[in-house]
Amino acid sequence: MTPLDQAKSDLAERAGVPVDEITLVSSEEVTWPDSSLGCPQPGMMYAQVLTNGSRIILSAGGRTYEYHSGGRRAPFLCES
């Protein structure tokens, strides 16, 4: 399963919509400045190491959702 397919599958489950109703807005390869993968959480410490990954923006039900990935981590919804 590709990272895009993983992100779409996760969003379909979260939003309660069929995968075919999810639209790709954009997808790009990025180099995150640290291991937070562009989605730092309050109170957490992150390794200060450049990490290759991706940013996938999807749309469903009139809302957009941003997924990040990097290193060995599968795409996850970045809500910060």
Side-chain angles (χ1 to χ4, degrees):
M1 185 178 282
T2 69
L4 176 57
D5 291 335
Q6 290 173 314
K8 283 184 166 185
S9 177
D10 181 76
L11 182 54
E13 190 173 313
R14 286 175 185 272
V17 298
V19 172
D20 62 356
E21 289 183 17
I22 297 172
T23 304
L24 174 64
V25 175
S26 67
S27 178
E28 63 181 337
E29 297 300 312
V30 297
T31 300
W32 302 112
D34 59 39
S35 64
S36 73
L37 305 179
C39 196
Q41 300 300 308
M44 297 293 294
M45 300 287 288
Y46 298 97
Q48 300 301 303
V49 58
L50 296 177
T51 306
N52 292 328
S54 64
R55 178 186 295 118
I56 300 168
I57 301 178
L58 302 173
S59 176
R63 291 186 55 203
T64 57
Y65 301 85
E66 189 167 322
Y67 280 79
H68 293 191
S69 69
R72 295 184 192 164
R73 186 159 182 199
F76 65 94
L77 181 61
C78 181
E79 298 182 278
S80 65

